[in-house]
Amino acid sequence: MKFAFGFSLILVSISISIVNAQDFQHQLDSLSHLITTLPAKDTTTINLRNDFLKQALFANPSDSTLLKFANETLAIAEGAAYYKGILLAYERLALVFQYSFSNPYKALDYYHKGLTIAEKYPDLKSLQWGIYGGIGTIYYEQEEYDKALYYFLEVLHNNKSLALTATANIANVYGSINKVDSAIFYYQKALSNGLVESNLTYKANLYSNLSLMYEKAGEGDSAVMSAEKSLALIEANGIEFVRPTAYANASMAYLKNNDLKKAEYYALESLKLSEKQGNLFLQKSAWGTLADLYSGKKEYQKALEAQNKFSILKDSINNQNRRVEINQQQMEFDFDKERTLAKAEIERQITLKNNVLLGGGILLLATVVGFILYKKRQDVLREKKEAEFKALVSETELKALRSQINPHFIFNSLNSIADYYLKNDQNTAQEYLAKFARLMRMVLENSEHQEISLSDDLKFIELYLQVEAKRLPGKFIYKIVVDTNLDAENILVPPLLLQPFIENSIWHGFVEKDKLGYIEIEIKKEDNLLICIVDDNGIGRGQTNANNAKKSLGIAITENRLKILNNQKKTTGKLKIIDKLPDKGTRVEVSVPLETYF
Amino acid sequence: MIVAIVDDEKHCTDRMLYLLEPYREKVRVVCFNTAAEAIKGIDHIRPEIVFLDVQLVEQTGFDVLSAISFRNFSLIFTTAYEQYAIQAFKFSAIDYLLKPIESEDFENAIQKAFKKKEQDALSERLNVLQSHISEVNASKRISIYYNEGYLFLNIKDIIRFQADVNYSHIFTVDKKKYTVSKTLKYFDDLLSDSGFFRIHNSHLINLNFVHAYSKSGFVTLLDGTQLEVSVRRKDKFMKACNAL
C-alpha cells in the first residue's frame, strides 16, 4: 500500500528554449571567444553576452561566476542606453536568481524591471512574453497555480515561438493540481510540436514528466515506457539539466511497476544530483519520491525520515516571508505601471519611479517590521503562557508538600498525647489536648497559604514549643530570638519551614539524655536573606539511632520545598545542617529570600 | 444567674460543666441536648448567658436563634471547625469558643459575659450574623465594637480603612470617620474576600471605590482621596482590579 503524501509530482519547467546539447560546448566556446574580441559597448556584444549567459546557465546552473557576468552585461547595456540589452540582462539576472540561487523574490524583482522596460518601448513588447513565462514559472514553483496558469496562457495565446514551452508548462501546472488527464493531453500536444525535435533536452524533460503523469494515472507500463524514452535521450546526449528530475520520475514509474531495485537506484541518484546543484525545489521533490518509495518498500523508518526532510524543505521554500515579499513586488509593479502610463515625460517618470520605489521600500520595510513585531509579541505571549503553566505546576507541588506536613505532624502529636495521658492527670491532659487542637488549627490554616507573615509563623513555633515543653517537663528550655530590626508582621515566609527541625531536636536530641536540653530559635537578616536557625545542645545527628540510616521525612519535605521555591522565584534558598562537635548538638540554618508584604 | 448550654454531645457538655465548676456558687446551669429543647427552654428560663453549639443533630445553633423570641442574654457560640461560621461570628462581633475549649479562652469569654457587654445590641448583631450565614446575596453588614457599644456598617458603604498603630480609622460613603480599636490586619483578614484590598501597610481600600490608578503608584478613590500603593503590592493590586 502506498502512502499518499499529497505531493509526488516532479516537474522541471523550462520556459526558454535550449540548444542541442551536442553543439552546446562548442557554441559556448565560440561565444566566449567572440565576446572577448568584439568592442565592449557594441550592441552585438551585449546580445552575445546575453545569449551566452542563458546557455551557460543551463549548462551549469551552479556556476558562481554567472551573477557577476550578468551584472556586467547590465552595466554595459545601460552604459550604451541599449534598452533591449538592458531588458534581456534583467531577464538573465532573474534566471540566475531563480535557478542558481533559488531566490524567487530577487528573480521576480528583475523580471518586473524587465517588464517595465517592455511597457515603455512598444518595439520591445514581444520580449515581454519570455518574462511572463519566467514569472509563471516562479509562481508555479511557489505552488500558486492559478497565477502561474494565467501567465502561461497569456504566453500561449500571444507568442507562437514560445508556444511549446507554454504548452509544456500548462501541462506542468495541471499535473501539479492533479488534473492528470489534462496534463497528459498538454504533454502530448507539446511532444507533437515540431520544435521539440530540435531540442532534445526539452524532449527528454517532456517524456520524463509524461511518465510521471502516467504513473499518477495508474498506467504503469506507459509510465515506464515514457521514462525509458527520457532516460535514453539523457544518456545518449549527456543531458545533465534534466537528469535529476528524470531520474526521480523514472524511479516513480519503476516503483509503480514494482521494480523496486531500479526505483531506489534512480531516486538516490536524483537526490545526489539535486543536492550537488543546491536546488531546494528539486531536493524537496527527490525526498518526496524517496518517502513514497520507502513506504512502498514498507521501510517506514526511512520513509518517515524522508518525509521529514521533504517537509522541512517545503517549509523553507514556501515560508511566509517570501510569499509576502512576492506579493509586495507584484503590488509595487502594478502601482509603478499605473503611474508610468499617466505621466508623459520619461524624466519625470524616472523621478516618480524612484519615489514609488522608495514608498514601496518603506511599505515593504513596514510590513517586515510589522511581521517581526507581531512574531515577537506572539513569542512573548507564548512564553508568558508557559511560565504561568509552570508556576501553576510548582504551586500545586508546593501545596502537596505543605499538606504532607499535616499527617506527619498529626501522628507525631498523637504520640505525644498518648505519652501525656500515660504520665499525667486527666484535667491537664484536657488542657494539653485543647492546646494541641489550637496547634492543629494553625497548621491547617497556615499550610493553606504559600506565604504567611513571620509573626504568624513565630506564633505557631512558640505554641508548638510550649506544647512540647508541657509534655516533657524539665527536659528542655527554649528561647526565640528575633532580630529587633525585623518587622515580623510585614515579612513573609513559607509556612512551617522550621517545624520539622524543632521536632527533630526535641524528639531525637534530648529524649535519651539526662542533661537539660536547650533550643534556640533565631531569626535574622543577612543581606537579602532571612536566616532561620534552630540550634540545640542535643546529642547530635551522628548519635541518634533513629536518624542514622535515613533522612527524616520532615527534612526531605523541607528540602523539596526549598528546591521548588528556588525554581519558582529564581532564588537561592538554602538548607544547612551543621553537626557541632560530637555531643554538642546540631545547628540547622534555613535561608530564604527576604520577602515583605509591603 | 442562669447559664444555658446547648450541645448535643455529652462530652462537650461535661467539659463545659467542668470549666464552670469554679462559679458554682454564682450560676445555675441548664443543659439542652437538642435544638427543639433549647427553643422551648430558653424562652422559658430566660438565661443570662447562652453557650450555643453550631452543629446540632440535623439543625444548627442559628436555627435555635431564629426560633426564640427572648434575646436578652450574652451569647457565646461553641464550634469545632466550621470556618464559614467563624467568619460570620467575626463579622457580627459575636463571641465564640473553639472546641476542645482552652480554659484561658473560656475565662476570657465568661468574664466578658458576666459584665453583660455581650448583651448589647444582640438582636442587631444577630441580624448581621444571619445575613452572613444565609446564601442570599443581601447587602452584608459588619458589627464592630465601638464607644462602649456597637457600630453597624454596610460593607459596601465603607470606602477605606487606615491604620493608626493598634487602632483603625474607617471612612464611609457618608463622609464619616470612625476610629475603632482593631488593627488593620484584623479587617484585612476579614474583608479581603469582600472586595477589599490592602494597598499599603496603612491602607485597606474597597476596590469598588477605585476611581483611577496612575502607574507612578497612586490610586485615587471616588471620594477624591489619593493613596500610595506599595511597590510590592502593585502587581497584585492590578490583578485584583482586573478581576473585579
Side-chain angles (χ1 to χ4, degrees), chain A residues 427 430-431 433-435 437-438 441 444-445 451 453 455-456 487 489-490 594-598, chain B residues 15 18-19 79-81 83 98-105 185 188 198-201 230 232-233:
Chain A
N427 287 328
Q430 267 279 9
E431 271 313 304
L433 194 61
K435 275 219 161 28
R438 183 141 65 94
R441 281 197 183 90
L444 287 174
E445 271 163 34
E451 284 161 332
S453 70
S455 61
D456 281 348
D487 178 4
E489 286 285 344
N490 195 16
L594 184 71
E595 295 212 28
T596 54
Y597 194 14
F598 304 106
Chain B
R15 169 75 175 157
Y18 169 77
L19 289 166
T79 180
Y81 193 71
Q83 275 304 331
L98 293 167
K99 298 194 282 190
I101 297 163
E102 282 183 61
S103 52
E104 261 173 69
D105 294 344
K185 186 179 177 357
D188 188 7
R198 183 94 174 256
I199 53 165
H200 188 273
N201 202 3
S230 294
R232 286 175 189 280
R233 299 295 285 167

Side-chain angles (χ1 to χ4, degrees), chain B residues 5 15 22 27 44 54 113 129-130 155 157 178 180 228-229 234:
Chain B
I5 299 170
R15 169 75 175 157
V27 301
H44 181 65
V54 172
L129 176 73
Q130 210 70 40
I155 292 172
D157 292 339
Y178 306 92
V180 299
E228 190 187 347
V229 179
K234 276 181 187 166

